[in-house]
Amino acid sequence: MAPQASDRTSPVVTRLAPSPTGLLHLGHARSFVLAWLHARSQGGRVVLRVEDLDRERCKAHLVEACVRDIAWLGLDWDGEPRVQSRSLEPYERACRELLAHGRAYACTCTRAEIAALSAPHADDGEQRYPGTCRGRFTNPQDAHAQTGRESGLRLAVEPGSVAVHDELHGACAFDVSSEVGDFLIRRRDGAIAYQLAVVVDDALDGVTDVVRGDDLLPSAARQALLQRALGLPTPRYWHLPLVTDEQGARLSKRRGDIGLSQLREQGVDPRTVLAWVARSAGLERGPRPTPADLLSGFDLRALPRSPARLSPADLAGLIS
Ligand code: GLU
Ligand code: ZN
């Protein structure tokens, strides 16, 4: 089925999708507040999704912490949070469908074997998969019978560039085939890969608008390939410029100094965080706005396109 942009007249549905691999920081707060405002200012829905499929990296206590941090900001959501690990069947079904249609194939390569074969991809150190197992096995059972190994699943990616339209970045194109190659949709340990889970869930939740950090812009191309292969619609994408410190370095979860839980424990008023997000988005609504105070006239399209800087003065303002 041809990819289709979400119906522009349908009500906006967006999602907040934390990964409980660490504590949420101010960068997440900004993405979540802007996503929430985007939906709510248009009378739309907000889905909360906890992306906890990476069993090695996700910690159970962080699931709760993520949800608490988002609630602390004053953001609400519709329905129960979707915790990915609680219901794996939709992802398994998608894997079966891709295998049955010859769009995905079993791969028994270990990370070390792939590393030995290919140069790391320049940007993120990710290895390009050279396609070793393409056409080698008829299915995972066959792969096991031939090699005695468990297999992962990879999407077969055709050469050529993949177009992605982003509402903030405009027309973008990524050569998925030469950048990452046939990418994993299920790992050898059985864990469903982020790229597949996000596509399945965005469709299940009827997400029309994806609002997230622009570090995920290249992933949108991989997600578009999966959407096409599964006959699912492509949502509108709004990839936000990331938050950086004064030196231009990206904030990361490892920089616990500005974790939301820590601010909360220090008794910081969450409305000071909202005030900073509002300022960084070009909105001036006073020193202590509530989320509702930011709704009127909110327009994500008016967002400054440069990275949002978090200065020591901003930080001091937050914790004073
Ligand atoms: N869970 C991802 C993260 O925390 C976000 C994924 C997405 O928005 O598609 O980075
Ligand atoms: Zn392989």
Side-chain angles (χ1 to χ4, degrees):
M1 203 167 111
Q4 303 196 328
S6 300
D7 177 357
R8 292 200 174 239
T9 57
S10 59
V12 169
V13 180
T14 191
R15 78 296 198 282
L16 313 179
S19 294
T21 55
L23 294 170
L24 299 184
H25 58 62
L26 288 168
H28 299 107
R30 184 167 185 270
S31 301
F32 295 156
V33 169
L34 295 174
W36 185 93
L37 288 170
H38 178 65
R40 294 298 196 218
S41 63
Q42 300 175 75
R45 286 169 53 82
V46 176
V47 174
L48 176 57
R49 178 197 304 153
V50 179
E51 303 202 320
D52 66 338
L53 292 179
D54 189 336
R55 276 165 275 183
E56 281 164 26
R57 294 175 61 223
C58 292
K59 312 272 180 307
H61 71 277
L62 292 172
V63 173
E64 239 173 82
C66 284
V67 175
R68 214 169 38 230
D69 287 347
I70 292 171
W72 174 73
L73 287 168
L75 306 181
D76 63 353
W77 54 88
D78 299 293
E80 287 299 306
R82 176 189 291 282
V83 180
Q84 289 183 325
S85 63
R86 291 193 190 149
S87 157
L88 300 175
E89 179 49 26
Y91 317 125
E92 293 298 341
R93 199 180 315 129
C95 286
R96 286 195 298 273
E97 186 179 330
L98 292 169
L99 260 174
H101 292 119
R103 307 302 304 269
Y105 63 87
C107 163
T108 55
C109 299
T110 62
R111 219 175 278 188
E113 285 167 344
I114 298 167
L117 286 172
S118 53
H121 178 241
D123 282 353
D124 48 14
E126 189 171 334
Q127 307 288 338
R128 178 182 181 277
Y129 179 67
T132 320
C133 295
R134 227 206 239 215
R136 209 173 145 202
F137 313 114
T138 46
N139 54 39
Q141 293 71 25
D142 178 43
H144 192 260
Q146 285 196 41
T147 65
R149 287 187 186 184
E150 294 306 321
S151 53
L153 281 182
R154 292 182 179 275
L155 187 77
V157 177
E158 299 316 317
S161 88
V162 180
V164 173
H165 182 78
D166 183 273
E167 305 295 323
L168 298 173
H169 294 255
C172 305
F174 296 92
D175 190 338
V176 177
S177 167
S178 68
E179 284 163 14
V180 289
D182 298 342
F183 57 89
L184 278 174
I185 56 174
R186 191 172 66 202
R187 295 196 320 221
R188 290 180 65 231
D189 65 3
I192 298 292
Y194 156 71
Q195 305 290 356
L196 179 71
V198 84
V199 161
V200 168
D201 285 340
D202 283 343
L204 278 176
D205 292 327
V207 169
T208 61
D209 288 59
V210 169
V211 181
R212 61 186 179 191
D214 66 9
D215 54 331
L216 288 170
L217 184 55
S219 282
R222 283 171 246 177
Q223 291 162 21
L225 290 176
L226 282 167
Q227 286 150 1
R228 285 174 213 168
L230 290 163
L232 300 173
T234 292
R236 280 182 291 265
Y237 286 109
W238 306 79
H239 285 94
L240 309 169
L242 289 193
V243 181
T244 67
D245 64 16
E246 284 282 271
Q247 281 73 46
R250 290 181 168 189
L251 301 188
S252 76
K253 285 182 187 175
R254 279 178 280 279
R255 298 221 358 209
D257 50 336
I258 36 175
L260 297 187
S261 331
Q262 204 167 354
L263 293 175
R264 187 179 68 230
E265 279 153 24
Q266 286 170 5
V268 168
D269 183 341
R271 294 175 304 169
T272 56
V273 177
L274 291 170
W276 166 71
V277 172
R279 252 194 335 275
S280 78
L283 299 168
E284 272 305 340
R285 300 286 160 86
R288 298 267 191 280
T290 64
D293 293 335
L294 303 176
L295 285 172
S296 84
F298 180 81
D299 181 3
L300 200 46
R301 234 172 261 287
L303 193 75
R305 305 298 158 96
S306 48
R309 292 279 164 115
L310 182 72
S311 69
D314 289 325
L315 256 189
L318 287 173
I319 52 187
S320 62

